[in-house]
Amino acid sequence: MTIERRRALIGVNAGIFLAHIGNFIWFPVLVASLGGTDSGFWAGVVMCMTYVGRLAATFFYEGVAARVGIRGAVFAGTATEAVALFLMGFGDGVAVYSVLALLIGLGSGTAFPGLKNILVSYPDDERPKAFSTFQMSAQVGLFGGALVGGLLADVDLRTLFSVVFAIFIGFCLASSAFIPRDGFGEATEKPAAERVPLFSTAVFKGIEVRGATRYFLLSAVFWFLSIGFMVGIPLHMEEYASGWAPSAPFWITGLSVLVLQYPLFKFMIKNLRPGAVMAVGLAGMTVAFTAFGAGRSVPWIVVGCLTVVLGEILFVPSFDIWVARKVPADRLAKAMGAMHFFRSAGNMIGSLLAGALFDLATSWDIPGGNWYVAAATAAVCGTICLLSRDETPTEEPETAPEEERAEAAA
């Protein structure tokens, strides 16, 4: 890895590290607070608005990046997110929080694809390390943010969001100072800015890769389940384990990923095809959701948190690598938009349903009913991944040159 790419990787990882610290300070506290004062549904609505913003950003990320570069898009998005988070501390009520959450999502939806765009522009032999360290940095940030969030759980929201604002300013400066304007190599080549519309609903279309739709839809369901855990577990803690901080489960998940992320994913991706690796991750989530529903007490919460991390460890990086290998270089910007679209759509629906299902399970006196729905969904998706007929890792080098020659001839 060259000095320039190593330097950029440091900047990207520093940015995602600080972003996760900030996010895991504020959102468990706010979700638990709204769940107690309003309801799980309204807590889900506020979180949903962040994903509405991210989904909206999908349609103009490519146009913004074409005009100001990837680095400029990251800077602008992070600055927007930081200001909205600062104003959160001075807001009050679901309506105000929802508007600010929309702005947070717009900023995140502009910055996050830019960071991913840098990583996919790395040479193929460097991408596994780049994506793995990216996930590791995110999990270190998650763990740190959960710990700090536990310490700040009882402070007023103005102080809480002021701390988060300072962290996001650090994210803004760290990432933009190290990453190049447009990434590296051929993967960053794109049409002139005037040929790329600023707003386009077709940003996630035109990815002519066999099986792409299936994988993007599965990724949407994965993020539906992931955000269901993130929104549902603070509400679950408030109801069944109120003696613990709302962010306590994220201490366990963060530490588990820190220990398991690199060795477990490296072993799995070397020995199994991507679909099978994703199936194992979803199986872990199935076990976790079943444990949350069946036990509900602290020991069962711990068991669930130790297994739910398999989804983050195995599904996310294997999906990233699949996209980087299969999507042609000139369509990577569209691929980033597509990935973010499906992720935002899954998160948006999942955050709404997580709160609503929690309220229904409580009002219908079916403790853990919301988790059983999630477990069944994860099991179905895991089965689909396991039975998929995608190529094995040993077959990919043989097919790749033929695909490249066909594209060149076209």
Side-chain angles (χ1 to χ4, degrees), residues 249-271:
F250 302 113
W251 306 348
I252 303 169
T253 58
L255 184 59
S256 299
V257 174
L258 283 177
V259 174
L260 297 175
Q261 172 73 60
Y262 186 73
L264 183 58
F265 174 67
K266 182 179 179 181
F267 173 79
M268 287 287 185
I269 205 66
K270 276 187 174 181
N271 294 280

Side-chain angles (χ1 to χ4, degrees), residues 166-186:
I167 291 172
F168 268 82
I169 291 297
F171 169 20
C172 189
L173 297 176
S175 59
S176 60
F178 286 91
I179 64 176
R181 184 185 187 277
D182 292 304
F184 302 98
E186 295 180 358

Side-chain angles (χ1 to χ4, degrees), residues 270-338:
K270 276 187 174 181
N271 294 280
L272 298 174
R273 56 191 174 83
V277 176
M278 290 187 278
V280 174
L282 288 164
M285 298 181 83
T286 302
V287 172
F289 297 146
T290 303
F292 293 146
R296 296 183 299 283
S297 59
V298 169
W300 287 98
I301 291 173
V302 172
V303 170
C305 289
L306 289 172
T307 54
V308 77
V309 296
L310 291 178
E312 186 79 16
I313 291 170
L314 299 177
F315 187 98
V316 177
S318 56
F319 179 74
D320 286 340
I321 288 177
W322 182 87
V323 171
R325 288 177 178 174
K326 297 298 183 183
V327 176
D330 61 344
R331 298 193 185 103
L332 279 173
K334 290 183 183 295
M336 293 303 101

Side-chain angles (χ1 to χ4, degrees), residues 174-223:
S175 59
S176 60
F178 286 91
I179 64 176
R181 184 185 187 277
D182 292 304
F184 302 98
E186 295 180 358
T188 63
E189 293 180 5
K190 42 186 179 292
E194 60 270 19
R195 297 180 59 189
V196 180
L198 182 60
F199 182 87
S200 173
T201 58
V203 67
F204 56 93
K205 296 180 181 179
I207 305 174
E208 299 171 6
V209 182
R210 182 176 58 188
T213 302
R214 173 187 60 189
Y215 276 91
F216 280 121
L217 288 173
L218 282 171
S219 76
V221 179
F222 169 80
W223 291 111

